[in-house]
Amino acid sequence: MVRSDIIRGHLDSIILRLILEKDRYGYEISQEISLRTNNRFQIKEATLYAVFQRLEKKEVIEAYYGDVSHGGKRKYYRITPLGKAYLNELVKEWSEVKEIIDLFMEGLE
Amino acid sequence: MVRSDIIRGHLDSIILRLILEKDRYGYEISQEISLRTNNRFQIKEATLYAVFQRLEKKEVIEAYYGDVSHGGKRKYYRITPLGKAYLNELVKEWSEVKEIIDLFMEGLE
DNA sequence: AAAATTACTTTGACAGGTAGAGTAATGTTT
DNA sequence: AAACATTACTCTACCTGTCAAAGTAATTTT
């Protein structure tokens, strides 16, 4: 299980990417992250909803209410055009971060 | 210039790696990071000394005073055996973090 | 002698992440 | 039908890592 303070700062990317694929709601995203990472990483509930707030404020995602078929009411999120551009930036940034950190990890693996 | 909150959590690794190569003092490390990354990343002074404090408390580095030949007194740091083991863990962790984040960035580059 | 550079320290603030507790609807078990 | 589990979201108080800003002090350059 990976410490979350090492993933810190990359949650925006992860969540935006999942919402880019299709509109999703919080609980679903949380499940999807656990699934895709084989439980090597799990996002905490409180964190997830904090990220939503941040991203909505930045206008990179938008919310709308969905059905209530399996428990509480679902709040769906869609990515905005601004969000797509933002995600693009984050992807570029990630590849630069990898390069930089790898610079220092070289020869130690 | 890479945002530092995206490097966050990896400073321990970067600094430990530089001290592993040879004993170093703060100012030197700061210069070395700028140099090696071609100024794509610069560690802030306050941050650097905060990292030293954290690492010393964890007993992964030790300090001793050096000469005073070029300005202020230099405080050198050496890595402890515990520090080498710790760095080893961090390197493994980094490769897992890369895998996980790449999982979500796939197909977007 | 003044200014620039080298070198370290401390304080207070901020932002992202989190535990924990709470609310509510639906589905399952007994 | 009552009890329990699951789905789903929200809020508050707190912790930690990073950093701006200001300070101290010695040496080198102008």
Side-chain angles (χ1 to χ4, degrees):
Chain A
M1 186 57 167
V2 169
R3 285 180 304 130
S4 38
D5 53 313
I6 208 103
I7 298 282
R8 194 194 226 253
H10 299 285
L11 289 180
D12 286 18
S13 313
I14 291 175
I15 287 163
L16 274 178
R17 199 271 146 82
L18 290 173
I19 297 177
L20 176 74
E21 291 177 0
K22 65 170 185 180
D23 293 6
R24 293 183 191 267
Y25 57 97
Y27 198 78
E28 182 189 8
I29 289 178
S30 144
Q31 305 272 292
E32 192 68 18
I33 291 176
S34 299
L35 184 71
R36 293 201 191 183
T37 63
N38 237 339
N39 284 308
R40 283 182 296 166
F41 178 60
Q42 283 182 287
I43 192 167
K44 306 306 175 307
E45 260 194 303
T47 307
L48 181 60
Y49 294 107
V51 173
F52 282 147
Q53 273 179 31
R54 194 165 61 236
L55 294 181
E56 239 188 319
K57 203 167 167 188
K58 278 187 183 172
E59 301 186 326
V60 296
I61 59 172
E62 285 168 349
Y64 59 94
Y65 284 97
D67 58 352
V68 193
S69 54
H70 295 288
K73 64 200 178 315
R74 293 177 178 167
K75 198 169 173 185
Y76 282 86
Y77 291 94
R78 72 165 70 90
I79 193 167
T80 65
L82 193 62
K84 288 181 189 174
Y86 179 53
L87 178 55
N88 231 294
E89 281 313 299
L90 292 179
V91 172
K92 269 188 230 155
E93 196 180 43
W94 168 236
S95 90
E96 190 163 15
V97 167
K98 266 201 292 187
E99 261 181 52
I100 288 175
I101 299 181
D102 274 336
L103 258 181
F104 294 95
M105 297 301 111
E106 259 183 329
L108 296 179
E109 298 98 297
Chain B
M1 186 55 167
V2 169
R3 285 181 303 131
S4 39
D5 53 312
I6 208 104
I7 299 281
R8 193 194 228 254
H10 299 284
L11 289 181
D12 286 18
S13 313
I14 290 175
I15 288 163
L16 275 178
R17 198 271 145 83
L18 290 173
I19 297 178
L20 176 74
E21 292 177 0
K22 65 170 186 183
D23 293 6
R24 293 183 191 269
Y25 57 97
Y27 198 78
E28 183 190 6
I29 289 178
S30 143
Q31 304 272 293
E32 192 69 20
I33 290 176
S34 299
L35 184 71
R36 294 201 191 183
T37 63
N38 238 335
N39 284 306
R40 283 182 297 166
F41 177 60
Q42 283 182 285
I43 192 168
K44 306 307 174 307
E45 259 195 303
T47 306
L48 180 60
Y49 293 108
V51 173
F52 283 147
Q53 274 179 29
R54 194 165 62 236
L55 293 180
E56 239 188 318
K57 202 168 168 187
K58 278 188 184 172
E59 302 187 326
V60 296
I61 59 173
E62 285 169 349
Y64 60 93
Y65 285 96
D67 57 353
V68 194
S69 54
H70 295 289
K73 65 204 175 313
R74 294 177 178 168
K75 198 170 174 183
Y76 283 86
Y77 291 94
R78 74 165 68 90
I79 193 166
T80 65
L82 193 63
K84 288 181 188 174
Y86 179 54
L87 178 55
N88 231 294
E89 282 311 301
L90 292 180
V91 172
K92 270 189 229 152
E93 195 180 43
W94 168 235
S95 89
E96 190 164 15
V97 167
K98 265 200 292 186
E99 262 181 50
I100 288 175
I101 299 180
D102 274 337
L103 258 180
F104 294 95
M105 297 301 112
E106 257 183 330
L108 295 180
E109 298 99 297

